[in-house]
Amino acid sequence: PRTRALLGAGADDPSSLADLLARIHPEDREAVRSALARLRAGGTDTYHLEYRLALPSGEERWIESQGRAEFGADGAPARAWGVMRDVTGRKAAEKALARAAALLERERERLALALRAGGLGVYEWRVGEEAIWWSEEAHALYGTDPAVAPTVASFEALVHPDDLDELRRRTQESLETGRPFHHEYRIRRPDGAVRWVLNHSRVARGPDGRPERITGVAADVTERRAAEQQAQLLM
């Protein structure tokens, strides 16, 4: 009775294989026929299918069907038995997840384009760990090799010695208060160039309320600093 209900068939409706195939969505019917052909040929003794039903009511329903074939003394398949269940809800969820994933991927591409256009580098540091994650734009900003993962020590080695203590103080203050971090400091790139960097970040806390990680963006503001200094000199 439950199988008939899944198939949208009444108690007196015929239940031949042809009747079952007639209820399967035309786009999925050939896959079911091929699976049955493999069973008949003895190529397999199990089957596992997912297909749509096009019910007389106009409803479209997804069915998962799996089972096993039994073979006679002559080696020919004698019968097949199995179970089926309605997986329409699961299929709808998978479709929604696929749409969401596609949307997230498009948003990620837009964000990456905006970051590149603005010359912004993204980074993340888990509090207490030595390793830091930098985006490709961050590596370009600091003049480092993207194949080499940065660390707290390697990052601080890039910061100008005159600015390092203040940077550490502001970072610690942000961790303690949870307030966003906004600071400008100089770096010495591996090629010897001195650049000004604007760093803006936020602190994320774990379930226990303790600071868990710092995520932020960094931008090269050397030209802006030079213009400000020139304006001050002229004044």
Side-chain angles (χ1 to χ4, degrees):
R2 178 58 180 162
T3 303
R4 286 183 174 274
L6 286 176
L7 297 174
D12 299 326
D13 289 345
S15 57
S16 68
L17 181 59
D19 294 315
L20 170 62
L21 290 172
R23 292 176 183 271
I24 294 175
H25 194 286
E27 294 179 5
D28 299 338
R29 204 171 290 159
E30 188 55 39
V32 176
R33 286 199 181 102
S34 297
L36 292 174
R38 288 194 297 272
L39 281 176
R40 290 195 184 100
T44 179
D45 63 347
T46 61
Y47 66 91
H48 187 173
L49 296 167
E50 290 186 0
Y51 51 84
R52 289 164 295 175
L53 295 175
L55 302 182
S57 63
E59 177 189 359
E60 187 174 285
R61 182 180 296 166
W62 273 97
I63 296 294
E64 179 185 37
S65 180
Q66 55 185 321
R68 181 179 299 277
E70 293 184 358
F71 297 85
D74 59 355
R79 66 173 182 168
W81 57 269
V83 295
M84 63 171 60
R85 63 173 178 162
D86 187 336
V87 293
T88 307
R90 192 198 77 199
K91 284 292 186 178
E94 290 175 353
K95 189 174 181 179
L97 284 173
R99 287 198 300 265
L103 179 61
L104 286 173
E105 179 62 21
R106 289 196 295 271
E107 290 299 321
R108 188 194 67 79
E109 292 174 354
R110 293 191 187 103
L111 176 59
L113 180 61
L115 291 173
R116 286 194 296 270
L120 300 176
V122 181
Y123 69 92
E124 180 176 286
W125 175 56
R126 290 193 169 274
V127 178
E129 295 185 3
E130 184 64 18
I132 307 175
W133 177 84
W134 281 356
S135 67
E136 290 186 8
E137 293 79 13
H139 278 285
L141 177 69
Y142 288 102
T144 53
D145 183 358
V148 179
T151 63
V152 173
S154 66
F155 163 67
E156 290 190 343
L158 294 170
V159 178
H160 194 286
D162 293 344
D163 298 342
L164 183 56
D165 287 343
E166 180 65 11
L167 176 61
R168 286 172 173 169
R169 186 189 70 79
R170 286 176 173 264
T171 302
Q172 186 61 34
E173 182 182 75
S174 182
L175 288 172
E176 293 174 356
T177 64
R179 290 196 294 267
F181 176 89
H182 190 84
H183 185 51
E184 294 183 7
Y185 52 88
R186 289 165 294 177
I187 61 169
R188 285 178 172 171
R189 293 162 49 115
D191 61 6
V194 176
R195 310 293 293 180
W196 276 95
V197 172
L198 167 64
N199 192 325
H200 186 79
S201 64
R202 290 184 178 274
V203 176
R205 298 186 177 274
D208 58 359
R210 296 181 180 179
E212 187 175 74
R213 67 182 186 277
I214 293 180
T215 304
V217 295
D220 187 330
V221 293
T222 306
E223 283 70 25
R224 193 206 75 202
R225 295 282 301 207
E228 290 175 351
Q229 292 175 1
Q230 181 67 17
Q232 291 174 2
L233 178 62
L234 291 173
M235 292 177 66

